[in-house]
Amino acid sequence: VSSGGERFVIPQASLLELIRLEGERGRAQIEFIRGTAVYRRRGGLLPLAWLNRILGLEDASAPPVLNEVINIVVLQVDDRQFGLIVDSISDTQEIVVKPLGAQLKELKCYAGATIMGDGKVSLILDAGGMAKLAGVNADSQAAASAASAAETAASALSAVRKLLLFRAGRMERLAVPLSLVARLEEIPASRIERAGDGLVLQYRGQIIPLARAASFLRSSAEEAQIPDPAPVIVFADGERRIGLIVDAIIDIVEESVSVTRAAGCAGLWGSGVVSGKVTDFLDVHALIESFDCSWFNAASRPSTILVADESAFTRDLIRGSLEVAGHRVLDASSPAEAIERTRTHVVDIVAAALDLPESGAFELAGSLQAQSGGPHPPVIALAGQESYDPESPTLQAFADCVPKFDRARMLKSLDRLGRRSNKETVHA
């Protein structure tokens, strides 16, 4: 890497990822929380430091400058991760490490030196030393994690949601939760190709299927020409992606919305008033299932999950996270309603908030265990950030306990319990 006109080497063993952000959109992804620069990465906040400032190549007392292109090297030190912002990333190559001279051994930010292919000497950066000099320690990591969790919880518990508005066919106002959108792209029509009887796009080293929103919703009497460039909404779950071609992106809004479920309207989840106008909400789960059946062909079959939480918005937020991963979701606002749901529907797993009214998830778990007539679905306790303690003996009544807004951990728990349920069914 290069920084301040100098060239440095970062050992591959400490390197996790390289990130390149460009333009105004890239700069907007760098935020400052409690004076610490952070980057939103996979649902968490990654602390950042500038190599120039750590090494004294730039005035550390001046406000940091965000360039047109931001290069972030993500490093791992023990169980901590942080991002190092450098001027440029050059190449990877094998090197011969040479020890530092006696005069430089006290400089904790360097691990050694090497002679590059052009005959010039480059210093090798020590990731642990860099973390200490940057002030990226366990406390700052915990602060970033706590800030991220608190921010997510505060957003979820408020009645405000971010929505992407778009137009497709005869439907002038459609919406999807912005949390489900991986990227917005404008793709030249010439890049859209056909494979079999469908449309595909070569995208970031993959061939991803493309769906046309107007066709999916049957809102166009005939197959209209694809716009050029074509607005594409990309949905993703891990390495799996699917693109939705729409006619136009209208806006991104943030406001309180109450959604009324659609009755017999294929492809739509419901309708609500957004910015003073009635807006239809796209059923993302139905879309993905219709155009890419392999999306849900994971090692374990999709489960039917009952989400029990008093907050309607929290239930909707969790629903979106689970449905885009392929699960079917029911919901309930109280233990009594949840019990009734299990009697009228086949439920594989129950995810219940510990702060449910009455006696909460404990009453629900006890009632399910007391039911006769066959095995009861396992119950996952959903804990708030302040009450999350998986080692607590009071949580032994549950199959697992996960933070309420930790999507990755929740999906991992659901997958494990789903696999166990499948095995038990086969043995039975």
Side-chain angles (χ1 to χ4, degrees):
V1 300
S2 299
S3 202
E6 301 293 335
R7 187 168 56 178
F8 302 93
V9 175
I10 295 177
Q12 187 76 36
S14 304
L15 179 64
L16 285 182
E17 186 179 355
L18 301 175
I19 299 172
R20 179 183 174 91
L21 306 177
E22 299 183 13
E24 189 63 34
R25 180 181 293 182
R27 289 193 293 271
Q29 295 181 64
I30 306 297
E31 304 175 44
F32 290 85
I33 296 178
R34 302 177 188 174
T36 300
V38 295
Y39 168 70
R40 295 188 179 277
R41 175 173 171 265
R42 302 191 185 110
L45 297 178
L46 180 74
L48 300 176
W50 277 259
L51 181 57
N52 282 347
R53 300 162 77 88
I54 294 175
L55 300 180
L57 303 174
E58 181 182 296
D59 183 5
S61 63
V65 176
L66 297 176
N67 298 324
E68 182 68 21
V69 176
I70 303 171
N71 295 292
I72 303 175
V73 181
V74 183
L75 300 176
Q76 174 98 23
V77 180
D78 297 326
D79 59 345
R80 295 167 285 155
Q81 297 178 10
F82 71 101
L84 194 63
I85 297 179
V86 300
D87 292 348
S88 64
I89 299 170
S90 304
D91 199 0
T92 60
Q93 58 182 274
E94 294 184 358
I95 61 171
V96 177
V97 179
K98 298 181 179 296
L100 293 173
Q103 299 90 337
L104 302 178
K105 284 188 176 180
E106 296 304 315
L107 300 178
K108 302 301 183 183
C109 55
Y110 301 117
T114 188
I115 299 176
M116 306 299 288
D118 57 7
K120 295 182 179 180
V121 175
S122 290
L123 292 171
I124 301 170
L125 299 177
D126 178 81
M130 302 299 295
K132 291 180 181 178
L133 290 174
V136 182
N137 50 31
D139 292 338
S140 65
Q141 289 278 344
S145 298
S148 176
E151 182 184 66
T152 303
S155 172
L157 292 175
S158 68
V160 175
R161 60 181 81 187
K162 290 185 178 180
L163 301 170
L164 173 67
L165 303 180
F166 60 96
R167 177 168 54 83
R170 294 193 297 264
M171 309 194 77
E172 294 294 326
R173 287 180 66 85
L174 290 159
V176 294
L178 190 61
S179 59
L180 300 182
V181 177
R183 291 186 68 86
L184 294 175
E185 304 281 4
E186 281 198 340
I187 304 296
S190 59
R191 286 186 53 197
I192 297 175
E193 304 176 67
R194 282 198 172 273
D197 59 354
L199 300 177
V200 296
L201 173 68
Q202 296 183 47
Y203 183 78
R204 300 183 173 224
Q206 292 180 286
I207 299 176
I208 69 171
L210 293 178
R212 298 191 65 176
S215 300
F216 171 66
L217 296 170
R218 299 181 178 87
S219 64
S220 178
E222 57 184 24
E223 193 78 1
Q225 186 175 359
I226 295 176
D228 192 8
V232 176
I233 303 171
V234 179
F235 301 101
D237 184 31
E239 294 300 316
R240 297 173 294 181
R241 293 182 175 89
I242 184 172
L244 179 67
I245 302 174
V246 302
D247 291 349
I249 301 295
I250 299 175
D251 200 1
I252 294 176
V253 300
E254 183 174 3
E255 61 179 86
S256 175
V257 179
S258 178
V259 180
T260 302
R261 290 296 181 88
C265 188
L268 294 180
W269 184 61
S271 302
V273 177
V274 180
S275 299
K277 296 183 179 180
V278 175
T279 303
D280 293 315
F281 282 72
L282 182 73
D283 188 337
V284 178
H285 178 266
L287 167 76
I288 295 174
E289 192 172 51
S290 173
F291 283 88
D292 184 11
C293 296
S294 64
W295 185 285
F296 303 129
N297 288 342
S300 61
R301 66 177 178 83
S303 300
T304 297
I305 313 298
L306 172 61
V307 177
D309 193 289
E310 187 176 21
S311 166
F313 182 71
T314 299
R315 296 197 303 270
D316 285 348
L317 185 73
I318 296 175
R319 170 188 290 276
S321 295
L322 299 185
E323 285 187 340
V324 80
H327 297 293
R328 296 178 291 273
V329 181
L330 306 170
D331 60 29
S333 60
S334 68
E337 185 179 358
I339 290 294
E340 183 61 27
R341 287 279 192 176
T342 62
R343 289 171 178 163
T344 57
H345 296 79
V346 176
V347 174
D348 297 311
I349 303 171
V350 175
L354 287 175
D355 56 358
L356 271 171
E358 304 167 29
S359 299
F362 294 94
E363 176 189 348
L364 176 55
S367 298
L368 289 174
Q369 291 175 4
Q371 283 183 347
S372 59
H376 60 82
V379 180
I380 298 175
L382 304 180
Q385 185 67 26
E386 70 286 346
S387 61
Y388 176 61
D389 180 12
E391 303 302 323
S392 172
T394 61
L395 299 178
Q396 297 304 309
F398 304 104
D400 199 358
C401 178
V402 300
K404 187 180 293 187
F405 303 111
D406 190 331
R407 177 179 184 270
R409 197 172 298 181
M410 187 182 302
L411 289 176
K412 184 177 180 180
S413 179
L414 292 174
D415 182 63
R416 177 177 59 81
L417 292 175
R419 289 171 186 266
R420 189 177 74 184
S421 176
N422 288 347
K423 290 180 180 178
E424 291 172 351
T425 301
V426 169
H427 291 161

